[in-house]
Amino acid sequence: MLKEIQSTGNKDTRSGFGDGIAEAARKNANIVALTADLAGSMKLQQFIKEFPERFVQCGIAEANMISIAAGLTIGGKIPYTTTFANFSTGRVYDQIRQSVAYSGKNVKICASHAGVTLGEDGATHQILEDIGMMKMLPGMTVIVPCDYNQTKAATLAIADYHGPVYLRFGRPVWPIFTKESDFKIGKAQHFSEGTDVSIFACGHLVWNAIQAGLILEEKGISVEIINVHTVKPLDEEAVIKSLSKTKCAVTAEEHNIFGGMGDAIAQCAAKNFPVPIEYVGTKDTFGESGTPKELLKKYGLDIPDIVAAAEKVINRKKNS
Amino acid sequence: MAELTAIATQIRRDIVRMVHGCASGHPGGSLGCTDYFTALYFKVMQHDPAFNMNATNEDVFFLSNGHISPVFYSTLSRSGYFDIKELATFRKINSRLQGHPATHEHLPGVRIASGSLGQGMSVAIGAALAKKLNADKNIVYSLHGDGELDEGQVWEAIMFAAHHKVDNLISTVDWNHQQIDGTTEKVMDHGDLRHKFEAFGWITLEMNGNDMDQVVETLKAAKALTGQGKPIAIMMHTIMGKGVDFMENDHNWHGVAPNDEQLARALAQLPETLGDY
């Protein structure tokens, strides 16, 4: 089954966002886009061209942008705030907490350049804690799509979902391997059925997980690969069902292993079906400058890291 | 005007009773801003106590310095948003009247949580932009503490509002020169506040926020200045603790409730005009 998954091209996930918001805006007149001096990086050109009156340039003032977005909902607007993931979360946590999450406002926080694959700009911009921060907020939906198509689909889907959303995507050109129609908020996506190990991944690392799965299959290991694009609310049913079958798991994400998607899976397992779990993620560290490829390798997020984690967790299962 | 003054007296009475009732809360700023709230909700603003969150075709108010929730809650209930009896639940368990205003418990009249300072002007700008997009000609009002202007986000908002010509916004600063650790001059001097707003591109007005005639006239004048391409700011001079002699001009009454004896002394200065809750 994994062999059938082919890349149909390469594109950055942020372009999926840019194309998605333009399409969403054609369907829904209430959608407004805000940015903090990053309209180009966030691929908003088409939206601005078609809907200049619904574009709000905030300048380099992210706190103001988030609270303005909260105000726009009072009047029925559906604001999408756009900037890098670091400035979308850590910089404005309190604004999101009070004016958006606690106030239950229908704001869509759209964040690009997440994780180490941002590359050469280095650790000041490579946030690895944002999934954790956002999933801690009561009522916040957290979505981490894996490719261009899925980011576009998610950008469209959140317009029809009422409530605060954190949508996390990235900078690098990456394989396209899903269909837009595959995406449903809160519904995990299966790439393969297996019996030896479950691999739960999100974002860019879904592709790496699939490549790791191919290697593991060559070794005669039966792998179940699940894309947890919606980290919150977690598709617990899919997680429990898979763990009941494989009885061990690997989680893979471009995020600190403390507080990320892996923790969500582990909590679900601990409550419902405890099994050995290995985490692929950054190990409580900041990133650094380099190419995305170099950084994925150095920080243990590469295909061989997922293969090794799977073999390790299968051994733990056998020895337990 | 006598009618407005009578309402303000009852609201002040509500404030001291509410903070005494839960032995916590912020009477000082609440008492100082009571005349502003009374003028806004009982005279100037076009608003509907039936309450719709989106504030369609009505004026809308945002309280940025959320700690003066007692005056906000009393004003809302006295103008028909909810039963005055509910004021007795202020800051108590299972109440819709949280310590700082919130939407979480669905209290009519509150459209955003505030308390963590510096966010309200941005929210008001967002609501003002939504009104423009909706071709809704009504006005957005916001109130800010002067101490709150220490927060950098307020200045982001001030810059934004002028740049984007948010001319359906009237923001008022409660310029009482008091903040928790002392006078604003001592803690963080704002200097010539009015000219700072003007330098950022706002139209500014100034008023004595404890003179009901002046408050009504200035708010009306501000309204007449909307739609001219610039946001409007009112520098409102108030006395913290206004109406209760021993609380006046004393920053120690920022966030302290009166004891039984102090309550009696306060209420003796604030006759019951509309009936207590």
Side-chain angles (χ1 to χ4, degrees):
Chain A
M1 245 171 90
L2 283 177
K3 287 195 182 101
E4 290 160 21
I5 300 165
Q6 297 290 327
S7 164
T8 57
N10 297 289
K11 224 170 184 180
D12 46 355
T13 50
R14 58 184 164 143
S15 286
F17 169 73
D19 293 342
I21 192 172
E23 193 173 318
R26 285 177 211 124
K27 292 177 180 167
N28 190 330
N30 281 322
I31 290 175
V32 176
L34 300 91
T35 197
D37 199 28
L38 284 172
S41 293
M42 298 302 298
K43 303 294 180 186
L44 287 174
Q45 296 93 333
Q46 190 60 33
F47 179 98
I48 295 168
K49 193 178 156 194
E50 292 183 47
F51 309 103
E53 73 290 350
R54 284 152 61 186
F55 168 67
V56 184
Q57 175 59 264
C58 296
I60 312 164
E62 295 82 6
N64 192 38
M65 174 173 72
I66 295 291
S67 304
I68 287 175
L72 276 160
T73 67
I74 302 162
K77 299 300 156 195
I78 306 172
Y80 283 56
T81 67
T82 73
T83 182
F84 294 167
N86 186 35
F87 315 133
S88 292
T89 56
R91 193 176 177 96
V92 292
Y93 193 77
D94 186 48
Q95 283 75 18
I96 296 174
R97 183 176 181 275
Q98 174 170 285
S99 294
V100 177
Y102 181 43
S103 295
K105 296 305 182 197
N106 192 23
V107 174
K108 316 302 176 186
I109 299 159
C110 303
S112 182
H113 292 55
V116 293
T117 52
L118 168 141
E120 294 80 354
D121 277 346
T124 53
H125 289 50
Q126 292 162 341
I127 196 157
L128 297 163
E129 310 91 47
D130 53 325
I131 294 174
M133 279 190 281
M134 292 298 108
K135 82 178 164 72
M136 284 270 285
L137 286 169
M140 182 66 76
T141 292
V142 179
I143 302 175
V144 188
C146 65
D147 68 356
Y148 168 89
N149 284 343
Q150 194 155 84
T151 307
K152 188 178 172 197
T155 304
L156 284 156
I158 60 177
D160 297 325
Y161 165 82
H162 190 89
V165 172
Y166 179 58
L167 180 65
R168 183 204 212 224
F169 42 94
R171 175 173 182 261
V173 169
W174 207 253
I176 302 171
F177 55 98
T178 70
K179 294 195 208 78
E180 279 184 49
S181 57
D182 293 341
F183 179 81
K184 190 163 179 281
I185 297 173
K187 189 83 188 147
Q189 180 185 10
H190 283 71
F191 285 101
S192 66
E193 303 271 340
T195 52
D196 292 332
V197 62
S198 304
I199 303 181
F200 299 100
C202 63
H204 294 130
L205 292 206
V206 174
W207 177 254
N208 285 9
I210 291 167
Q211 302 315 301
L214 286 166
I215 294 167
L216 290 162
E217 280 188 351
E218 290 281 315
K219 297 183 177 195
I221 296 166
S222 171
V223 189
E224 182 142 307
I225 294 179
I226 297 175
N227 173 12
V228 188
H229 51 64
T230 307
V231 177
K232 186 185 172 190
L234 184 66
D235 187 351
E236 294 206 338
E237 194 185 329
V239 174
I240 296 164
K241 196 176 162 197
S242 181
L243 294 180
S244 312
K245 195 164 53 169
T246 62
K247 300 186 174 58
C248 69
V250 171
T251 64
E253 61 191 315
E254 202 181 339
H255 190 275
N256 194 344
I257 58 169
F258 296 153
M261 177 272 291
D263 265 4
I265 299 290
Q267 187 178 62
C268 176
K271 282 192 302 183
N272 299 285
F273 197 88
V275 296
I277 295 176
E278 287 292 324
Y279 295 84
V280 171
T282 54
K283 311 292 189 291
D284 203 27
T285 180
F286 292 101
E288 65 180 84
S289 294
T291 66
K293 204 175 166 191
E294 289 166 341
L295 290 163
L296 287 171
K297 190 174 176 196
K298 179 163 179 177
Y299 288 88
L301 310 173
D302 210 349
I303 297 160
D305 301 301
I306 299 173
V307 172
E311 290 176 329
K312 185 177 174 189
V313 85
I314 290 168
N315 275 330
R316 282 178 59 198
K317 175 174 68 173
K318 282 178 185 161
N319 297 331
S320 65
Chain B
M1 226 38 88
E3 192 195 339
L4 288 180
T5 306
I7 295 168
T9 301
Q10 184 67 49
I11 290 174
R12 285 193 163 94
R13 204 176 151 87
D14 288 346
I15 292 165
V16 289
R17 292 183 68 231
M18 286 165 74
V19 296
H20 173 266
C22 60
S24 69
H26 299 78
S30 294
L31 292 166
C33 292
T34 299
D35 303 302
Y36 167 83
F37 272 86
T38 306
L40 201 60
Y41 275 82
F42 291 90
K43 188 81 181 172
V44 179
M45 262 202 330
Q46 180 213 317
H47 65 107
D48 182 4
F51 188 61
N52 82 81
M53 177 57 87
N54 283 354
T56 311
N57 297 320
E58 63 175 321
D59 295 336
V60 59
F61 168 76
F62 292 99
L63 177 65
S64 190
N65 48 330
H67 56 275
I68 66 166
S69 55
V71 65
F72 193 18
Y73 295 151
S74 171
T75 304
L76 287 174
S77 72
R78 295 282 172 188
S79 53
Y81 281 83
F82 56 87
D83 195 314
I84 58 169
K85 288 196 189 87
E86 204 169 341
L87 295 176
T89 71
F90 176 58
R91 283 181 171 246
K92 291 178 178 166
I93 193 79
N94 298 324
S95 172
R96 298 197 293 181
L97 279 62
Q98 291 293 297
H100 293 80
T103 58
H104 195 254
E105 290 75 21
H106 307 289
L107 184 69
V110 181
R111 291 188 170 86
I112 194 93
S114 61
S116 177
L117 293 171
Q119 301 180 29
M121 191 183 289
S122 309
V123 172
I125 288 169
L129 293 177
K131 287 208 177 291
K132 282 176 178 277
L133 285 166
N134 292 337
D136 176 343
K137 298 287 183 200
N138 287 86
I139 312 268
V140 177
Y141 294 88
S142 65
L143 179 64
H144 311 267
D146 52 359
E148 184 184 15
L149 301 185
D150 296 356
E151 294 280 7
Q153 185 181 346
V154 182
W155 299 95
E156 296 179 5
I158 291 168
M159 196 169 354
F160 179 104
H163 176 80
H164 286 281
K165 301 182 169 53
V166 185
D167 58 5
N168 53 346
L169 172 68
I170 300 171
S171 294
T172 298
V173 178
D174 176 19
W175 206 358
N176 64 15
H177 301 266
Q178 306 288 335
Q179 57 190 113
I180 296 179
D181 278 351
T183 65
T184 53
E185 284 71 18
K186 183 184 147 210
V187 176
M188 188 55 62
D189 196 349
H190 301 117
D192 190 340
L193 204 49
R194 182 169 182 176
H195 284 103
K196 281 184 174 157
F197 271 89
E198 284 177 356
F200 275 78
W202 288 53
I203 298 169
T204 65
L205 299 167
E206 205 158 340
M207 68 182 178
N208 177 352
N210 296 130
D211 176 328
M212 191 64 84
D213 292 315
Q214 252 195 60
V215 174
V216 171
E217 288 315 307
T218 310
L219 284 170
K220 282 182 178 170
K223 196 171 177 179
L225 288 165
T226 58
Q228 296 181 18
K230 288 184 172 189
I232 297 146
I234 302 173
M235 306 298 123
M236 178 170 77
H237 298 280
T238 68
I239 292 171
M240 186 185 241
K242 178 70 182 176
V244 178
D245 57 6
F246 60 89
M247 291 187 181
E248 288 186 2
N249 276 322
D250 183 355
H251 69 86
N252 292 308
W253 285 100
H254 165 86
V256 178
N259 60 27
D260 292 346
E261 181 265 327
Q262 288 164 331
L263 174 72
R265 277 167 61 201
L267 293 183
Q269 300 167 45
L270 299 167
E272 190 175 347
T273 55
L274 303 176
D276 282 342
Y277 62 80

